């Protein structure tokens, strides 16, 4: 037993840590292109292999059966929030390296870890990038752009891409260095749930605020007598400002829940607009 | 002619964002329409149209295996027509959605076609030829580029006069109506986001965000920062709640993981 250990340790000294910073940097840049050949069959599979190739080349010789095995492994189906894919790649890289150093390493785990990660990683990734970062950055961008300012699109790009870059960069490093233990630690301490819940809170509050400030719909009805003009809208505003935007958002949400298709809703909104322009019930 | 080519290239650039640039939001209407504004010589109009379309398409996002409506093609074509006809946002709005849905079918076609490259790559993979695998991953971009460039080029090159002459006959009342629709359209984007994110225990947070903005008139940055604080506070409260049931805090008051 101890002999075996010594032998393994000796091997470790010989060939562990073949992957260096440069290789990981290549993986980082390539990972941006993970969706380049997106197809319904294996989804991001080929893109994943493409991103892993710098690491694989370091470990295996081109044209060797080992390389063939590795390439096959990494062209299997993958689908994950693109920014989070690098974490999986870092993990795969460290496992490929370990496989080389340790002949007893169960090869199947490389892919089974990938498969087991896709769900939870996408869960966090989607709620962060689509539900929170994108909502906030578009909100800020639109705010500035509605005056016609070029800062609008610039703001959108900056605020979205900073977290995007950080997650990609550190995801890869953390995935490679700490491997699976990092995620196990996260899972056992509920931190994942907390983070996702927190992200949803921020996202939804911003959506709520946008509902109040970015939808334009007002009653056009006015009642005038010789003394005064009373508009329905000003009465409504004194009770609950932006009540119409709230009601219309909730109504559209209800339609979505009833599985009414988005295209019908859009058509409905356009017809509603034209009708109310002729009737004069609503204005912007 | 040159304009049509340039706009086609803008669309290709937007497509590259999702394929090669790792989703950097360059393909969003706000950026696309701004670029269209640059090509058409009216940046300000491009930005304004972009802001409106951005709100409409807010809920159109690329999650999982579903192919979303093609917002790039539609942003480019719709805003180009809107600027060249001089009627602005309302026209862009009326055109954008139908175009997005039509162009979506092209994208689906490309993604089905890409299976060919996947199979080719798998053959190379089984021989261990990593260079060829890498090249095979690059090739589909030609299909993607064609699916963006060709429709945009054809629409702009042949469609501009037709669309403009049709637009001349649209009565003002209808244009006003489209404006009302444009004001209301963000409700759809918000509803789609809510639909994606909401659960019963999250409803109060949506309302809280709404009420803060409606009554206090705070802007989005303020609401976002407040929201971050609330998210932390809520998580802390949930931790404390856990302590009452059984202590997982050590003597130093540090939570034991």
């Amino acid at each position: 037993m101890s002999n075996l250990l010594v032998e393994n340790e000796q091997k470790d000294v010989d060939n562990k840590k073949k992957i260096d910073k440069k290789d990981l940097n290549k993986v980082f840049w390539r990972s941006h292109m993970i969706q380049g050949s997106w197809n319904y069959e294996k989804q991001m599979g080929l893109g994943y292999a493409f991103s892993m190739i710098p690491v694989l080349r370091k470990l295996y010789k081109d044209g060797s059966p080992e390389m063939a095995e590795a390439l096959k492994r990494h062209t299997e189906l993958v689908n994950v929030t693109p920014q989070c894919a690098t974490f999986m790649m870092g993990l795969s890289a460290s496992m490929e390296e370990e496989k080389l150093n340790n002949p007893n390493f169960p090869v199947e785990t490389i892919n089974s870890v990938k498969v087991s990660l896709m769900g939870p990683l996408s869960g966090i990734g989607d709620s962060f990038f689509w539900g929170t970062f994108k909502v906030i950055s578009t909100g800020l961008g639109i705010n500035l752009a509605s005056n016609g300012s070029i800062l609008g699109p610039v703001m959108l790009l900056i605020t979205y891409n900073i977290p995007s870059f950080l997650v990609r960069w550190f995801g890869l490093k953390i995935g490679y260095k700490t491997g699976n233990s990092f995620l196990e630690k996260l899972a056992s301490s509920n931190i994942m749930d907390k983070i996702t819940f927190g992200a949803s809170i921020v996202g939804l509050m911003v959506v709520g605020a946008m509902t109040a400030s970015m939808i334009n719909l007002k009653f056009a009805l006015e009642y005038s007598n010789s003394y005064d003009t009373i508009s329905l809208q000003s009465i409504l505003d004194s009770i609950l400002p932006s009540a119409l935007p709230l009601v219309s958002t909730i109504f559209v949400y209800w339609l979505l829940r009833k599985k009414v298709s988005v295209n019908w809703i859009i058509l409905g909104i356009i017809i509603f607009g034209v009708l109310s322009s002729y009737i004069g019930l609503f204005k912007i | 002619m040159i304009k049509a080519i340039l706009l086609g290239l803008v669309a290709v650039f937007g497509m590259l964002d999702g394929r090669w640039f790792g989703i950097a939001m360059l393909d969003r209407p706000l950026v696309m329409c701004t670029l269209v504004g640059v090509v058409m010589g009216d940046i300000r109009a491009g930005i304004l149209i972009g802001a409106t379309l951005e709100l409409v398409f807010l809920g159109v996002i690329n999650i999982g295996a579903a192919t979303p409506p093609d917002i790039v093609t539609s942003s480019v074509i719709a805003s180009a027509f809107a600027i060249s006809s001089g009627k602005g946002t309302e026209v862009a709005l009326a055109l954008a959605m139908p175009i997005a849905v039509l162009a979506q079918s092209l994208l689906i076609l490309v993604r089905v076609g890409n299976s060919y490259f996947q199979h080719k790559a798998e053959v190379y993979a089984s021989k261990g030829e990593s260079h060829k695998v890498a090249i095979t991953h690059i090739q589909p971009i030609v299909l993607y580029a064609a699916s963006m460039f060709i429709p945009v080029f054809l629409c702009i090159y042949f469609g501009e006069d037709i669309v403009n002459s049709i637009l001349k006959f649209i009565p003002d009342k209808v244009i006003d109506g489209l404006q009302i629709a444009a004001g209301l359209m963000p409700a759809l984007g918000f509803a789609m986001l809510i639909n994606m994110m909401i659960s019963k225990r999250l409803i109060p947070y949506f309302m809280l965000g709404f009420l803060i903005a409606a009554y206090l008139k705070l802007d989005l940055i303020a609401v976002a920062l407040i929201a971050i604080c609330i998210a932390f506070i809520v998580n802390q409260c949930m931790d404390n709640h856990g302590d009452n049931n059984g202590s997982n805090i050590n003597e130093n008051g540090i939570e034991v993981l």
Side-chain angles (χ1 to χ4, degrees), chain A residues 255-256 258-266, chain B residues 188:
Chain A
L255 289 177
L256 288 173
K258 292 276 163 203
K259 307 276 178 213
V260 179
S261 102
V262 171
N263 295 326
W264 284 116
I265 297 177
I266 289 168
Chain B
L188 174 60

Side-chain angles (χ1 to χ4, degrees), chain A residues 26-37:
Chain A
K26 280 184 198 157
V27 173
F28 170 76
W29 290 113
R30 281 181 178 228
S31 75
H32 288 77
M33 295 169 67
I34 192 172
Q35 298 209 86
S37 58

Side-chain angles (χ1 to χ4, degrees), chain B residues 4-131:
Chain B
I5 292 175
L6 284 177
L7 290 174
L9 291 177
V10 168
V12 171
F13 177 72
M15 171 279 299
L16 280 178
D17 176 64
R19 302 302 114 203
W20 281 8
F21 305 152
I23 309 186
M25 296 287 128
L26 293 166
D27 61 347
R28 298 304 303 181
L30 195 51
V31 180
M32 283 287 103
C33 297
T34 305
L35 292 178
V36 171
V38 172
V39 172
M40 304 291 290
D42 191 348
I43 301 179
R44 202 184 134 78
I47 295 171
L48 290 174
I49 293 168
T52 308
L53 290 188
E54 186 63 60
L55 280 171
V56 176
F57 286 125
L58 197 63
V60 176
I61 43 183
N62 190 354
I63 285 187
T67 301
D70 183 357
I71 57 172
V72 173
T73 306
S74 99
S75 302
V76 172
I77 296 177
S79 57
F81 283 152
I83 294 175
S84 77
S85 69
K87 300 216 175 182
T89 320
E90 314 83 66
V91 167
L93 189 87
L95 292 173
M97 260 303 166
I99 300 173
V101 175
L102 283 177
Q104 175 186 19
S105 50
L106 266 181
L107 274 189
I108 293 176
L109 216 62
V110 171
R111 287 167 177 217
V112 172
N114 278 349
S115 286
Y116 165 76
F117 295 100
Q118 177 80 32
H119 291 298
K120 213 168 115 186
E122 278 165 13
V123 173
Y124 290 137
S126 64
K127 295 177 190 157
E129 296 172 328
S130 66
H131 285 276

